[in-house]
Coordinates of all heavy atoms in Angstrom, one line a residue:
M67 N 51.5 20.8 -6.6 CA 51.3 22.1 -7.0 C 49.8 22.4 -7.4 O 49.3 21.6 -8.1 CB 52.2 22.4 -8.3 CG 52.1 23.7 -8.8 SD 53.4 23.9 -10.1 CE 52.8 25.4 -10.8
P68 N 49.2 23.3 -6.8 CA 47.8 23.6 -7.1 C 47.6 24.1 -8.5 O 48.4 24.8 -9.1 CB 47.3 24.6 -6.1 CG 48.6 25.1 -5.4 CD 49.7 24.2 -5.8
Y69 N 46.4 23.7 -9.1 CA 46.1 24.0 -10.5 C 44.8 24.9 -10.6 O 44.1 24.8 -11.5 CB 45.9 22.8 -11.3 CG 47.1 21.9 -11.4 CD1 47.3 20.8 -10.6 CD2 48.1 22.3 -12.3 CE1 48.4 20.0 -10.8 CE2 49.3 21.5 -12.4 CZ 49.4 20.4 -11.7 OH 50.5 19.7 -11.8
W70 N 44.6 25.8 -9.6 CA 43.4 26.7 -9.7 C 43.5 27.7 -10.9 O 42.5 28.2 -11.3 CB 43.2 27.4 -8.4 CG 44.3 28.2 -7.9 CD1 44.6 29.5 -8.4 CD2 45.2 27.9 -6.9 NE1 45.7 29.9 -7.7 CE2 46.1 29.0 -6.8 CE3 45.4 26.8 -6.1 CZ2 47.2 29.0 -5.9 CZ3 46.4 26.8 -5.2 CH2 47.3 27.9 -5.1
H71 N 44.6 27.9 -11.4 CA 44.7 28.8 -12.5 C 44.6 28.1 -13.9 O 44.5 28.7 -14.9 CB 46.1 29.5 -12.5 CG 47.2 28.6 -12.6 ND1 47.7 27.8 -11.5 CD2 48.0 28.3 -13.7 CE1 48.7 27.1 -11.9 NE2 48.9 27.3 -13.2
Y72 N 44.5 26.8 -13.8 CA 44.4 26.0 -15.1 C 43.0 26.1 -15.6 O 42.0 25.9 -14.9 CB 44.7 24.5 -14.8 CG 44.7 23.6 -16.0 CD1 45.7 23.8 -17.0 CD2 43.7 22.7 -16.1 CE1 45.6 22.9 -18.1 CE2 43.7 21.9 -17.3 CZ 44.7 22.0 -18.2 OH 44.7 21.2 -19.3
P73 N 42.8 26.4 -16.9 CA 41.4 26.7 -17.4 C 40.5 25.4 -17.5 O 39.3 25.5 -17.7 CB 41.7 27.2 -18.8 CG 43.1 26.8 -19.2 CD 43.8 26.6 -17.9
G74 N 41.1 24.3 -17.3 CA 40.3 23.0 -17.4 C 39.5 22.7 -16.1 O 38.6 21.9 -16.1
T75 N 39.8 23.4 -15.0 CA 39.1 23.1 -13.8 C 37.7 23.7 -13.8 O 37.4 24.6 -14.6 CB 39.8 23.7 -12.6 OG1 40.0 25.1 -12.8 CG2 41.2 23.1 -12.4
M76 N 36.8 23.3 -13.0 CA 35.4 23.7 -13.0 C 35.2 25.1 -12.4 O 34.3 25.8 -12.6 CB 34.6 22.7 -12.2 CG 34.4 21.4 -13.0 SD 33.3 20.3 -12.2 CE 34.1 19.8 -10.7
G77 N 36.1 25.5 -11.5 CA 36.0 26.8 -10.9 C 34.8 26.9 -9.9 O 34.3 25.9 -9.5
W78 N 34.3 28.1 -9.7 CA 33.2 28.2 -8.7 C 31.9 27.7 -9.2 O 31.0 27.3 -8.5 CB 33.1 29.7 -8.3 CG 32.7 30.6 -9.4 CD1 33.6 31.2 -10.3 CD2 31.4 31.0 -9.8 NE1 32.9 32.0 -11.2 CE2 31.5 31.8 -10.9 CE3 30.1 30.7 -9.4 CZ2 30.5 32.4 -11.6 CZ3 29.0 31.2 -10.0 CH2 29.2 32.1 -11.1
A79 N 31.7 27.7 -10.6 CA 30.5 27.2 -11.1 C 30.3 25.6 -10.9 O 29.2 25.1 -10.7 CB 30.4 27.5 -12.6
G80 N 31.5 24.9 -10.9 CA 31.4 23.5 -10.6 C 31.0 23.2 -9.2 O 30.3 22.3 -8.9
G81 N 31.4 24.1 -8.2 CA 31.0 24.0 -6.8 C 29.5 24.2 -6.7 O 28.9 23.4 -5.9
I82 N 29.0 25.1 -7.4 CA 27.5 25.4 -7.3 C 26.8 24.2 -7.9 O 25.8 23.7 -7.4 CB 27.2 26.7 -8.0 CG1 27.7 27.9 -7.2 CG2 25.7 26.8 -8.2 CD1 27.5 29.2 -7.8
G83 N 27.3 23.7 -9.0 CA 26.7 22.5 -9.7 C 26.7 21.3 -8.8 O 25.7 20.6 -8.7
M84 N 27.7 21.1 -8.0 CA 27.8 20.0 -7.1 C 26.8 20.2 -6.0 O 26.1 19.2 -5.5 CB 29.2 19.8 -6.5 CG 30.2 19.2 -7.5 SD 29.7 17.6 -8.0 CE 30.1 16.7 -6.5
L85 N 26.6 21.4 -5.5 CA 25.6 21.7 -4.4 C 24.2 21.4 -5.0 O 23.4 20.8 -4.3 CB 25.7 23.1 -3.9 CG 26.9 23.4 -3.0 CD1 27.0 24.9 -2.7 CD2 26.8 22.6 -1.8
V86 N 23.9 21.8 -6.2 CA 22.6 21.6 -6.8 C 22.4 20.1 -6.9 O 21.3 19.6 -6.6 CB 22.5 22.3 -8.1 CG1 21.2 21.9 -8.9 CG2 22.5 23.8 -7.9
L87 N 23.4 19.4 -7.4 CA 23.3 17.9 -7.6 C 23.0 17.2 -6.2 O 22.2 16.4 -6.1 CB 24.5 17.4 -8.3 CG 24.5 15.9 -8.5 CD1 23.4 15.5 -9.5 CD2 25.8 15.4 -9.0
M88 N 23.7 17.6 -5.2 CA 23.5 17.0 -3.9 C 22.2 17.3 -3.4 O 21.5 16.5 -2.7 CB 24.6 17.5 -2.9 CG 26.0 16.9 -3.2 SD 27.4 17.4 -2.3 CE 26.8 18.3 -0.9
A89 N 21.7 18.6 -3.6 CA 20.3 18.9 -3.2 C 19.3 18.1 -3.9 O 18.3 17.7 -3.3 CB 20.1 20.4 -3.4
L90 N 19.5 17.8 -5.2 CA 18.5 17.0 -5.9 C 18.5 15.6 -5.4 O 17.4 14.9 -5.3 CB 18.9 17.0 -7.4 CG 18.6 18.3 -8.2 CD1 19.1 18.3 -9.6 CD2 17.1 18.6 -8.1
V91 N 19.7 15.0 -5.1 CA 19.8 13.7 -4.6 C 19.1 13.6 -3.2 O 18.3 12.7 -3.0 CB 21.2 13.2 -4.5 CG1 21.3 11.9 -3.7 CG2 21.8 13.0 -5.9
L92 N 19.3 14.6 -2.4 CA 18.7 14.6 -1.1 C 17.2 14.7 -1.2 O 16.4 14.0 -0.5 CB 19.2 15.7 -0.2 CG 18.7 15.9 1.2 CD1 19.0 14.6 2.0 CD2 19.2 17.1 1.8
A93 N 16.7 15.6 -2.1 CA 15.2 15.7 -2.3 C 14.6 14.4 -2.8 O 13.5 14.0 -2.4 CB 15.0 16.9 -3.3
A94 N 15.3 13.7 -3.7 CA 14.8 12.4 -4.2 C 14.7 11.4 -3.1 O 13.8 10.6 -3.0 CB 15.7 11.9 -5.3
L95 N 15.7 11.4 -2.2 CA 15.7 10.5 -1.1 C 14.5 10.8 -0.1 O 13.8 9.9 0.4 CB 17.0 10.5 -0.3 CG 18.2 9.8 -1.0 CD1 19.4 10.0 -0.2 CD2 17.9 8.3 -1.2
V96 N 14.3 12.1 0.2 CA 13.2 12.5 1.0 C 11.9 12.1 0.4 O 11.0 11.6 1.0 CB 13.3 14.0 1.3 CG1 12.0 14.5 2.0 CG2 14.5 14.3 2.2
A97 N 11.7 12.3 -0.9 CA 10.5 12.0 -1.6 C 10.3 10.5 -1.6 O 9.1 10.1 -1.4 CB 10.6 12.5 -3.1
L98 N 11.3 9.7 -1.7 CA 11.1 8.3 -1.6 C 10.7 7.8 -0.3 O 9.8 7.0 -0.1 CB 12.5 7.6 -2.0 CG 12.5 6.1 -1.9 CD1 11.6 5.5 -3.0 CD2 13.9 5.5 -2.1
V99 N 11.2 8.4 0.8 CA 10.8 8.1 2.2 C 9.4 8.5 2.4 O 8.6 7.7 3.0 CB 11.7 8.7 3.2 CG1 11.2 8.7 4.6 CG2 13.1 8.1 3.1
V100 N 9.0 9.6 1.9 CA 7.6 10.1 2.0 C 6.6 9.2 1.3 O 5.6 8.8 1.8 CB 7.4 11.5 1.6 CG1 6.0 11.9 1.5 CG2 8.2 12.5 2.5
V101 N 6.9 8.8 0.1 CA 6.1 7.9 -0.7 C 5.9 6.6 0.0 O 4.8 6.0 0.1 CB 6.6 7.8 -2.1 CG1 5.9 6.6 -2.9 CG2 6.4 9.1 -2.9
L102 N 7.0 6.0 0.4 CA 7.0 4.7 1.1 C 6.2 4.8 2.4 O 5.6 3.8 2.9 CB 8.4 4.1 1.3 CG 9.1 3.7 0.0 CD1 10.5 3.2 0.3 CD2 8.3 2.6 -0.7
G103 N 6.4 5.9 3.1 CA 5.7 6.1 4.4 C 4.2 6.3 4.3 O 3.5 6.1 5.2
R104 N 3.7 6.8 3.2 CA 2.3 7.1 3.0 C 1.6 6.0 2.3 O 0.6 6.2 1.6 CB 2.2 8.4 2.2 CG 2.5 9.6 2.9 CD 2.1 10.8 2.1 NE 2.4 12.0 2.9 CZ 2.1 13.2 2.4 NH1 1.6 13.4 1.2 NH2 2.4 14.2 3.2
R105 N 2.0 4.8 2.4 CA 1.3 3.7 1.8 C -0.1 3.7 2.3 O -0.3 3.9 3.5 CB 2.0 2.4 2.0 CG 3.2 2.2 1.2 CD 3.7 0.8 1.3 NE 4.7 0.5 0.3 CZ 5.4 -0.6 0.4 NH1 5.3 -1.5 1.3 NH2 6.3 -0.8 -0.6
G106 N -1.1 3.4 1.4 CA -2.4 3.3 1.9 C -2.7 2.2 2.8 O -1.9 1.3 3.0
P107 N -3.8 2.2 3.5 CA -4.1 1.2 4.4 C -4.2 -0.2 3.7 O -4.6 -0.3 2.5 CB -5.5 1.5 5.0 CG -6.1 2.5 4.0 CD -4.9 3.2 3.3
Q108 N -3.7 -1.2 4.4 CA -3.7 -2.5 3.8 C -5.2 -3.0 3.7 O -6.0 -2.7 4.5 CB -2.9 -3.5 4.7 CG -1.5 -3.0 4.9 CD -0.7 -3.1 3.6 OE1 -0.9 -3.9 2.7 NE2 0.1 -2.1 3.4
P109 N -5.4 -3.7 2.6 CA -6.8 -4.3 2.4 C -7.1 -5.2 3.6 O -6.2 -5.9 4.1 CB -6.7 -5.0 1.1 CG -5.3 -5.2 0.8 CD -4.5 -4.2 1.6
P110 N -8.4 -5.3 3.9 CA -8.8 -6.2 5.0 C -8.5 -7.7 4.5 O -8.5 -8.0 3.4 CB -10.3 -6.0 5.2 CG -10.7 -5.4 3.9 CD -9.5 -4.6 3.3
P111 N -8.3 -8.5 5.5 CA -8.1 -9.9 5.1 C -9.3 -10.5 4.4 O -10.4 -10.0 4.6 CB -7.9 -10.6 6.5 CG -8.4 -9.7 7.5 CD -8.3 -8.3 6.9
P112 N -9.2 -11.5 3.6 CA -10.3 -12.0 2.9 C -11.4 -12.5 3.9 O -11.1 -13.0 5.0 CB -9.7 -13.3 2.2 CG -8.3 -13.3 2.4 CD -7.9 -12.2 3.4
A113 N -12.6 -12.2 3.5 CA -13.8 -12.6 4.3 C -13.9 -14.1 4.5 O -13.3 -14.9 3.7 CB -15.1 -12.0 3.7
D114 N -14.6 -14.5 5.5 CA -14.8 -15.9 5.8 C -15.5 -16.5 4.6 O -16.5 -16.1 4.1 CB -15.7 -16.0 7.0 CG -15.9 -17.4 7.4 OD1 -15.1 -18.3 7.0 OD2 -16.9 -17.7 8.1
P115 N -14.8 -17.6 4.0 CA -15.4 -18.2 2.8 C -16.8 -18.8 3.0 O -17.7 -18.7 2.1 CB -14.4 -19.2 2.4 CG -13.4 -19.3 3.4 CD -13.6 -18.2 4.4
A116 N -17.0 -19.3 4.2 CA -18.3 -19.9 4.5 C -19.4 -18.9 4.5 O -20.5 -19.1 3.9 CB -18.3 -20.7 5.8
R117 N -19.1 -17.7 5.1 CA -20.1 -16.6 5.2 C -20.3 -16.1 3.8 O -21.5 -15.7 3.4 CB -19.6 -15.6 6.1 CG -20.4 -14.3 6.2 CD -21.8 -14.6 6.8 NE -22.7 -13.5 6.8 CZ -22.8 -12.6 7.8 NH1 -22.2 -12.8 8.9 NH2 -23.6 -11.6 7.6
R118 N -19.3 -16.0 3.0 CA -19.4 -15.4 1.6 C -20.3 -16.4 0.8 O -21.2 -15.9 0.1 CB -18.0 -15.3 1.0 CG -18.1 -14.7 -0.4 CD -16.7 -14.6 -1.0 NE -15.9 -15.8 -1.0 CZ -16.0 -16.9 -1.8 NH1 -16.9 -16.8 -2.8 NH2 -15.3 -17.9 -1.7
I119 N -20.1 -17.7 0.9 CA -20.9 -18.6 0.2 C -22.4 -18.5 0.6 O -23.3 -18.6 -0.2 CB -20.4 -20.1 0.3 CG1 -19.0 -20.2 -0.4 CG2 -21.4 -21.1 -0.2 CD1 -18.3 -21.4 -0.1
L120 N -22.6 -18.4 1.9 CA -23.9 -18.3 2.5 C -24.6 -17.0 1.9 O -25.8 -17.1 1.5 CB -23.9 -18.3 4.0 CG -25.2 -18.2 4.7 CD1 -26.1 -19.5 4.4 CD2 -25.0 -18.0 6.2
D121 N -23.9 -15.9 1.9 CA -24.4 -14.7 1.4 C -24.8 -14.8 -0.1 O -25.8 -14.3 -0.5 CB -23.5 -13.5 1.6 CG -23.3 -13.1 3.0 OD1 -24.1 -13.5 3.9 OD2 -22.3 -12.4 3.3
E122 N -23.9 -15.5 -0.8 CA -24.2 -15.7 -2.3 C -25.4 -16.5 -2.5 O -26.3 -16.2 -3.4 CB -23.0 -16.3 -3.0 CG -21.8 -15.3 -3.1 CD -20.6 -16.0 -3.6 OE1 -20.6 -17.2 -3.9 OE2 -19.5 -15.3 -3.7
R123 N -25.6 -17.6 -1.7 CA -26.8 -18.5 -1.9 C -28.0 -17.7 -1.5 O -29.1 -17.9 -2.2 CB -26.6 -19.7 -1.0 CG -25.5 -20.7 -1.4 CD -25.5 -21.9 -0.6 NE -26.8 -22.6 -0.8 CZ -27.2 -23.6 0.0 NH1 -26.5 -23.9 1.0 NH2 -28.4 -24.2 -0.2
F124 N -28.0 -16.9 -0.5 CA -29.2 -16.1 -0.2 C -29.5 -15.1 -1.3 O -30.6 -14.9 -1.6 CB -28.9 -15.4 1.2 CG -30.1 -14.5 1.6 CD1 -31.3 -15.1 1.9 CD2 -30.0 -13.2 1.8 CE1 -32.4 -14.3 2.4 CE2 -31.0 -12.4 2.2 CZ -32.2 -13.0 2.5
A125 N -28.4 -14.5 -1.8 CA -28.6 -13.5 -2.9 C -29.2 -14.1 -4.1 O -30.0 -13.5 -4.9 CB -27.3 -12.8 -3.2
R126 N -28.8 -15.4 -4.4 CA -29.4 -16.1 -5.6 C -30.8 -16.6 -5.4 O -31.4 -17.1 -6.3 CB -28.4 -17.2 -6.0 CG -27.2 -16.7 -6.7 CD -26.4 -17.9 -7.3 NE -26.0 -18.9 -6.3 CZ -24.8 -19.0 -5.8 NH1 -23.8 -18.2 -6.2 NH2 -24.5 -20.0 -4.9
G127 N -31.2 -16.6 -4.1 CA -32.6 -17.1 -3.8 C -32.6 -18.6 -3.5 O -33.7 -19.2 -3.5
E128 N -31.4 -19.2 -3.3 CA -31.4 -20.7 -3.1 C -31.9 -21.0 -1.7 O -32.4 -22.1 -1.5 CB -30.0 -21.2 -3.3 CG -29.4 -21.1 -4.7 CD -28.0 -21.5 -4.8 OE1 -27.4 -22.1 -3.8 OE2 -27.4 -21.4 -5.9
I129 N -31.8 -20.1 -0.8 CA -32.3 -20.3 0.6 C -33.1 -19.1 1.0 O -32.9 -18.0 0.5 CB -31.1 -20.6 1.6 CG1 -30.2 -19.4 1.6 CG2 -30.4 -21.9 1.3 CD1 -29.1 -19.5 2.7
D130 N -34.1 -19.3 1.9 CA -34.9 -18.2 2.3 C -34.3 -17.5 3.5 O -33.2 -17.9 4.0 CB -36.3 -18.7 2.7 CG -36.3 -19.7 3.8 OD1 -35.2 -20.0 4.3 OD2 -37.4 -20.1 4.2
Q131 N -34.9 -16.4 4.0 CA -34.3 -15.6 5.0 C -34.2 -16.4 6.3 O -33.2 -16.2 7.0 CB -35.2 -14.3 5.2 CG -34.5 -13.4 6.2 CD -35.3 -12.1 6.3 OE1 -36.2 -11.8 5.5 NE2 -34.9 -11.2 7.2
E132 N -35.2 -17.2 6.6 CA -35.1 -17.9 7.9 C -33.9 -18.9 7.9 O -33.2 -19.0 8.9 CB -36.4 -18.7 8.1 CG -36.5 -19.5 9.4 CD -37.8 -20.3 9.5 OE1 -38.8 -19.7 9.2 OE2 -37.7 -21.5 9.8
E133 N -33.7 -19.6 6.8 CA -32.6 -20.5 6.7 C -31.3 -19.7 6.7 O -30.3 -20.2 7.3 CB -32.7 -21.3 5.4 CG -31.6 -22.3 5.1 CD -31.7 -23.5 6.0 OE1 -32.7 -23.7 6.7 OE2 -30.7 -24.2 6.0
Y134 N -31.2 -18.6 6.0 CA -30.0 -17.8 6.0 C -29.7 -17.3 7.4 O -28.5 -17.5 7.8 CB -30.3 -16.6 5.1 CG -29.2 -15.5 5.2 CD1 -28.0 -15.7 4.5 CD2 -29.3 -14.4 6.0 CE1 -26.9 -14.8 4.6 CE2 -28.3 -13.4 6.0 CZ -27.1 -13.6 5.4 OH -26.1 -12.7 5.5
E135 N -30.6 -16.8 8.2 CA -30.3 -16.3 9.5 C -29.9 -17.5 10.4 O -29.0 -17.3 11.3 CB -31.6 -15.6 10.1 CG -31.8 -14.3 9.4 CD -33.1 -13.6 9.8 OE1 -33.9 -14.2 10.6 OE2 -33.3 -12.5 9.3
R136 N -30.6 -18.6 10.3 CA -30.2 -19.8 11.1 C -28.8 -20.2 10.9 O -28.0 -20.4 11.8 CB -31.2 -21.0 10.8 CG -31.0 -22.1 11.8 CD -32.0 -23.2 11.5 NE -31.9 -23.8 10.1 CZ -31.0 -24.7 9.8 NH1 -30.1 -25.2 10.7 NH2 -31.0 -25.2 8.6
R137 N -28.4 -20.3 9.6 CA -27.0 -20.7 9.3 C -26.0 -19.7 9.6 O -24.9 -20.0 10.1 CB -26.9 -21.1 7.8 CG -27.7 -22.4 7.4 CD -27.6 -22.7 6.0 NE -28.4 -23.9 5.7 CZ -27.9 -24.9 4.9 NH1 -26.7 -24.8 4.4 NH2 -28.7 -25.9 4.7
R138 N -26.4 -18.4 9.4 CA -25.5 -17.3 9.8 C -25.2 -17.3 11.3 O -24.0 -17.2 11.7 CB -26.1 -16.0 9.4 CG -25.1 -14.8 9.7 CD -25.8 -13.5 9.6 NE -26.9 -13.4 10.6 CZ -28.0 -12.7 10.5 NH1 -28.2 -11.9 9.4 NH2 -28.9 -12.7 11.4
D139 N -26.2 -17.5 12.1 CA -26.1 -17.6 13.5 C -25.2 -18.8 13.9 O -24.4 -18.7 14.8 CB -27.4 -17.7 14.2 CG -28.2 -16.4 14.1 OD1 -27.6 -15.3 13.7 OD2 -29.4 -16.4 14.3
A140 N -25.4 -19.9 13.2 CA -24.6 -21.1 13.5 C -23.1 -20.8 13.2 O -22.2 -21.3 13.9 CB -25.1 -22.3 12.7
L141 N -22.9 -20.1 12.1 CA -21.5 -19.8 11.8 C -20.8 -18.8 12.8 O -19.7 -19.0 13.1 CB -21.4 -19.1 10.4 CG -21.6 -20.1 9.2 CD1 -21.6 -19.3 7.9 CD2 -20.5 -21.1 9.2
T142 N -21.6 -17.9 13.3 CA -21.0 -16.9 14.2 C -20.8 -17.5 15.6 O -20.0 -17.0 16.4 CB -21.8 -15.6 14.3 OG1 -23.2 -15.9 14.6 CG2 -21.8 -14.9 13.0
R143 N -21.7 -18.5 16.0 CA -21.5 -19.1 17.3 C -20.3 -19.9 17.4 O -19.7 -20.1 18.5 CB -22.7 -20.0 17.6 CG -23.9 -19.3 18.1 CD -24.9 -20.3 18.7 NE -25.2 -21.4 17.8 CZ -26.3 -21.4 17.0 NH1 -27.1 -20.4 17.0 NH2 -26.5 -22.5 16.2
T144 N -19.8 -20.5 16.3 CA -18.6 -21.4 16.4 C -17.3 -20.6 16.5 O -16.3 -21.2 16.7 CB -18.6 -22.3 15.2 OG1 -18.5 -21.5 14.0 CG2 -19.8 -23.2 15.1
R145 N -17.4 -19.3 16.4 CA -16.1 -18.5 16.4 C -15.9 -17.8 17.7 O -16.7 -17.4 18.4 CB -16.1 -17.6 15.3 CG -15.9 -18.4 14.0 CD -16.2 -17.6 12.8 NE -16.5 -18.6 11.8 CZ -15.8 -18.7 10.7 NH1 -14.8 -18.0 10.5 NH2 -16.1 -19.7 9.9

């Protein structure tokens, strides 16, 4: 036996509430997909540690420009 006349049912306002709730859930899912899809570019892989050490030594003045260029060229030739 249907109970649409019973005052405890939600009536038409309950149906609108369910539609609003479903729309909010759908909007949250779409927002989640957009946020995950717009991840920023991945950071570059770590630089070559030998080149980084060479750069640091040159910056500290431990080696001169000629020595720096010679060693830098030697590092790039091996790759």
Side-chain angles (χ1 to χ4, degrees):
M67 179 170 169
Y69 294 102
W70 57 78
H71 63 281
Y72 183 69
T75 59
M76 290 188 287
W78 63 272
I82 292 175
M84 286 299 288
L85 286 175
V86 169
L87 180 63
M88 287 176 14
L90 289 174
V91 169
L92 182 62
L95 288 174
V96 169
L98 180 66
V99 168
V100 168
V101 167
L102 292 177
R104 287 189 177 178
R105 283 189 171 170
Q108 298 298 322
D114 182 23
R117 175 66 186 264
R118 184 180 50 81
I119 292 170
L120 182 64
D121 291 343
E122 289 173 0
R123 290 187 64 199
F124 180 64
R126 286 192 298 258
E128 294 177 8
I129 57 175
D130 62 358
Q131 185 173 355
E132 182 182 314
E133 179 72 13
Y134 171 77
E135 290 172 356
R136 186 177 63 80
R137 290 180 184 226
R138 183 193 62 205
D139 293 342
L141 285 174
T142 56
R143 275 196 309 264
T144 60
R145 291 168 199 240

